[in-house]
Amino acid sequence: MSGSEGKLSSSSSELDLDRPNIEDYLPSGSSIHEPRGKLRLRDLLDISPTLTEAAGAIVDDSFTRCFKSNPPEPWNWNVYLFPLWCFGVAVRYLILFPARVIVLIIGWIIFLSSFIPVHFLLKGHDKLRKKMEVFVANHTSMIDFIILEQMTAFAVIMQKHPGWVGLLQSTILESVGCIWFNRSEAKDREIVTKKLREHVQGVDNNPLLIFPEGTCVNNQYSVMFKKAWLLVFWKAGAFELGCTVCPVAIKYNKIFVDAFWNSRKQSFTMHLLQLMTSWAVVCDVWYLEPQNLKPGETPIEFAERVRDIISVRAGLKKVPWDGYLKYSRPSPKHRERKQQSFAESVLQRLEEK
Amino acid sequence: MGNSSSMLTQYDIEEVQQHCNNAFSQQEILSLYDRFCQLDRNGGGFISAEEFLSVPEFAVNPLSQRLLRMLDGLNFKEFVAFLSAFSPRATLQQKIEFIFKVYDSDCNAKVTFNDMLDVLHDLTGQFISEQQREEEGCNFQIPYWNLESVYNLLSLDFDEICHNRSDKAFC
C-alpha cells in the first residue's frame, strides 16, 4: 500500500492542510460562514463543522504526515528483477558495507592519533574569525551535520543523546564548541541561553549551526521553527552583535535510500547501518543568501520568512505545527481560541434577535 | 481481523464494507486500515485515547472528549462504521443520527435540555457564561428530543445549511 490515501471527501482539512493556520494565524473557527440573522434551534444543534474537522483529523492530519516514512514501491517482484536485486544486496552488504566500515575505522585511527595529542597539548588554540555567522537548516537526520561539516567546522546545537553518540558528543564535538541541550529538562533553556551568549560573544568561535525545527522531519514537509530558539538567540544578543542568519536547504534524494531518521521507529545505530548498506546517500545542499532581521519585523516573522526561503528551495511543504508535539499535547489555548470564535458568533446572533 | 498489524484479507474488507452499509469503497477501506495501523502504534487492535490525542488537530477540537467516549476501544470494523457518517455516500438520516449520538452522552435515546447545554459548553468553553447559555436555550426548551424530532428539526433546513457553507464536506 503506497502512501497516497484514497479519495475521502470527508477530510475537508485536506484542502486546508498546507495553509499555515495555527498560533499566529488561527483556523477560521467552526461557524464563521453561518448566515446572519436570528439564532435558530437548529443552529445550536448543528455541530457538523466541528465534527467534520474532528473526523478529518482522525482520517488524515498534517502533523503525522511530517513524520511518516513512505516505503518505496517494491520493484523486485518479477523473475528477471529478483535475481538482480539479490545480486545487488550481496554487493551492498558484502562489498560496499565492509569497505565503508574499513574506511571509517582507518579514518578514526588517523583522526584520533592526531586529535588526542593536539587536544591535550594545544588547548585553547586561537583562530582568527570574522563576525559570528549563524547557519540555519532543515533537519532530516543526524547525518545532516556530517554533510554540512564538509563546508566548515560548525558549533552545532544538539540534543544530548544517550549511548555511543553521547560519548562522541561529550568528547570530540565539545572541542568544536557544540552546545548541548536536554528537551526534558525545564531549566535547560536558561543554561543554553547562557552558553549561546558566551559563544556568540567569543571572537574565536566557530559559526553556529542550528536546526530550528527541533526534531527530524521526513524531508517532504517542514514544521514550525521553534520560537524558543529565536527568542533564546535574541536574548543571547546575537542580533545586536550584527549576526547574520544564513539559511541552508538540504534535500535528500530517495532514489537509493530514505535518509529520514524516524527516531520513534529506529535507533541511530540502526539508521546508520541502513545508510551504510545502501548504494548511496544522495543529497542536495543549497547555501542561500544571508538574511538579516528587517526593521519592524518580529523574530517570529523573521523565523517564518527564513523557513519559507528554505522550504521553497528544498521543495518542502510548510506545516503550521510545532515539532515538539511529537512528545507532548498542544496547549489548551488553541482549543480556547476555537471556542472563543464560536462563542462570539453565537452571542452576536443572539443579540440580533 | 484480530491482529491489527496483519494484512487485511479480501474477506475482511468485504465484511467491513457490509458492516458500514457500503459507505466506503474497498480502496477507501484499505486507506483507512493504513491510517488505523498508523495511529495504533502499540498494535493492540484498537486506538487508545492517548493515541487519538497524539494527533494535534484532533486534540484541539472542542468536541474531542465527547468523540473519544464514542471511539474508545473500537476495533477496525467499528472504527470504519463510526466514520461512515462522514462518507459522501452517507444518507442524511445517518448524519443526523450521528449528531444525535454525540449529544446523547448517556445513551438513553433522549436529548435533554441539559445535554444541549453540555455540548454548548464544550463548544464555547468559558467564553459564554452559564446564564447566557441558559438564556439561549430557554427559548427552545422542551422536556427532551428523541431522534425523530431532532431529525425533523434539522432536516427541514439542512439543504439550506449545505448551500450556505463553502466547505461542503459534511453534506
Side-chain angles (χ1 to χ4, degrees):
Chain A
M1 186 65 205
S2 70
S4 60
E5 275 78 42
K7 278 278 174 215
L8 286 166
S9 57
S10 64
S11 44
S12 65
S13 47
E14 238 174 56
L15 300 163
D16 308 326
L17 265 176
D18 299 318
R19 178 164 57 96
N21 61 354
I22 201 129
E23 285 200 354
D24 301 308
Y25 7 173
L26 250 207
S28 50
S30 27
S31 57
I32 297 300
H33 301 295
E34 280 290 331
R36 292 282 160 236
K38 199 174 117 166
L39 190 70
R40 287 163 288 189
L41 176 58
R42 68 140 176 86
D43 299 323
L44 285 183
L45 282 183
D46 180 19
I47 48 176
S48 52
T50 315
L51 287 180
T52 311
E53 270 176 31
I58 293 175
V59 167
D60 188 19
D61 74 293
S62 52
F63 183 71
T64 319
R65 276 205 215 171
C66 293
F67 305 101
K68 194 173 170 205
S69 33
N70 297 320
E73 291 284 339
W75 58 272
N76 59 355
W77 44 267
N78 77 28
V79 73
Y80 304 110
L81 296 175
F82 190 69
L84 196 64
W85 177 75
C86 287
F87 176 68
V89 170
V91 170
R92 283 191 287 131
Y93 278 80
L94 301 175
I95 300 176
L96 289 180
F97 179 61
R100 286 167 181 159
V101 171
I102 290 170
V103 168
L104 189 62
I105 292 174
I106 294 176
W108 272 106
I109 293 172
I110 297 176
F111 174 70
L112 285 173
S113 54
S114 348
F115 174 76
I116 292 173
V118 170
H119 185 67
F120 285 110
L121 298 174
L122 298 174
K123 256 192 187 152
H125 183 80
D126 284 326
K127 259 199 281 192
L128 283 175
R129 195 149 289 280
K130 318 180 286 279
K131 76 170 185 223
M132 178 59 56
E133 285 170 321
V134 176
F135 288 82
V136 154
N138 60 307
H139 200 30
T140 305
S141 162
M142 283 220 281
I143 64 168
D144 290 342
F145 172 59
I146 300 172
I147 287 167
L148 293 177
E149 278 290 288
Q150 292 176 51
M151 180 185 159
T152 174
F154 285 109
V156 71
I157 301 184
M158 282 172 81
Q159 159 84 21
K160 190 78 195 281
H161 281 89
W164 63 269
V165 180
L167 182 65
L168 262 176
Q169 286 178 318
S170 33
T171 50
I172 295 165
L173 294 177
E174 187 95 16
S175 63
V176 289
C178 291
I179 297 172
W180 318 121
F181 68 88
N182 213 328
R183 254 177 224 133
S184 36
E185 255 167 61
K187 281 272 161 57
D188 197 58
R189 198 179 293 180
E190 291 158 24
I191 303 172
V192 174
T193 313
K194 187 161 156 291
K195 287 192 200 166
L196 255 183
R197 192 179 299 130
E198 284 164 7
H199 186 96
V200 163
Q201 289 170 350
V203 165
D204 55 353
N205 286 327
N206 287 327
L208 271 172
L209 173 60
I210 299 180
F211 296 107
E213 286 171 316
T215 186
C216 291
V217 187
N218 72 355
N219 212 227
Q220 319 269 98
Y221 297 91
S222 73
V223 295
M224 304 258 319
F225 281 6
K226 296 215 47 76
K227 269 198 297 201
W229 289 127
L230 282 108
L231 292 175
V232 156
F233 218 40
W234 188 264
K235 287 192 191 142
F239 292 119
E240 280 115 54
L241 291 174
C243 288
T244 44
V245 169
C246 308
V248 178
I250 306 176
K251 181 76 175 177
Y252 289 92
N253 190 331
K254 288 207 269 195
I255 182 173
F256 294 122
V257 72
D258 184 358
F260 167 50
W261 177 38
N262 195 341
S263 50
R264 284 194 287 196
K265 284 232 172 91
Q266 50 181 190
S267 69
F268 186 61
T269 316
M270 284 313 294
H271 172 68
L272 211 55
L273 275 173
Q274 189 188 9
L275 292 178
M276 286 181 76
T277 54
S278 66
W279 288 108
V281 173
V282 181
C283 177
D284 289 310
V285 180
W286 292 276
Y287 295 94
L288 304 166
E289 223 182 278
Q291 303 291 328
N292 278 304
L293 193 73
K294 291 200 178 123
E297 204 179 28
T298 67
I300 293 165
E301 284 166 7
F302 179 57
E304 271 301 292
R305 191 162 60 87
V306 170
R307 182 179 158 216
D308 202 39
I309 293 171
I310 294 178
S311 304
V312 164
R313 200 68 199 84
L316 306 172
K317 295 201 201 104
K318 287 170 50 168
V319 148
W321 298 105
D322 178 344
Y324 277 16
L325 288 172
K326 257 208 274 188
Y327 311 101
S328 64
R329 299 274 159 270
S331 85
K333 75 170 185 217
H334 296 132
R335 183 190 299 194
E336 281 168 20
R337 303 266 267 259
K338 278 184 189 260
Q339 287 174 329
Q340 188 175 25
S341 67
F342 183 79
E344 274 164 20
S345 79
V346 165
L347 280 178
Q348 211 172 15
R349 298 186 56 192
L350 194 65
E351 260 129 58
E352 279 176 31
K353 260 210 280 214
Chain B
M1 45 264 66
N3 237 335
S4 73
S5 47
S6 55
M7 292 298 291
L8 268 190
T9 64
Q10 183 61 25
Y11 175 74
D12 292 330
I13 298 175
E14 284 169 10
E15 197 190 329
V16 169
Q17 199 174 28
Q18 230 177 1
H19 187 81
C20 69
N21 295 317
N22 291 313
F24 294 113
S25 72
Q26 300 206 350
Q27 185 66 18
E28 288 168 347
I29 290 177
L30 275 174
S31 307
L32 282 174
Y33 187 65
D34 206 21
R35 177 66 174 176
F36 186 85
C37 293
Q38 192 186 41
L39 290 175
D40 178 20
R41 260 180 255 136
N42 59 3
F46 65 95
I47 309 175
S48 66
E50 264 306 298
E51 287 162 344
F52 272 116
L53 289 174
S54 72
V55 176
E57 261 174 63
F58 181 77
V60 302
N61 193 292
L63 293 176
S64 53
Q65 288 304 319
R66 261 175 198 269
L67 290 172
L68 278 176
R69 256 177 272 150
M70 294 166 74
L71 283 165
D72 194 31
L74 294 183
N75 64 18
F76 178 61
K77 199 163 73 170
E78 294 158 357
F79 176 70
V80 172
F82 175 86
L83 288 175
S84 58
F86 296 92
S87 152
R89 295 179 204 91
T91 64
L92 189 58
Q93 168 80 13
Q94 284 172 306
K95 293 182 206 281
I96 295 178
E97 207 175 308
F98 187 85
I99 296 181
F100 188 84
K101 275 193 239 167
V102 172
Y103 271 94
D104 184 23
S105 47
D106 48 9
C107 301
N108 58 359
K110 295 186 188 142
V111 170
T112 65
F113 181 59
N114 283 323
D115 288 334
M116 204 185 88
L117 280 185
D118 282 340
V119 172
L120 199 56
H121 179 79
D122 283 343
L123 287 173
T124 56
Q126 78 261 41
F127 296 101
I128 293 192
S129 70
E130 195 72 41
Q131 295 131 304
Q132 283 170 316
R133 254 179 261 140
E134 292 204 5
E135 208 182 284
E136 280 174 46
C138 71
N139 296 305
F140 308 120
Q141 191 166 11
I142 62 167
Y144 66 86
W145 292 283
N146 60 17
L147 180 57
E148 203 189 314
S149 44
V150 169
Y151 181 81
N152 289 330
L153 262 168
L154 287 181
S155 63
L156 288 175
D157 301 298
F158 221 64
D159 280 334
E160 200 194 309
I161 307 174
C162 283
H163 289 309
N164 281 333
R165 278 209 217 300
S166 55
D167 57 306
K168 297 191 179 200
F170 196 65
C171 306

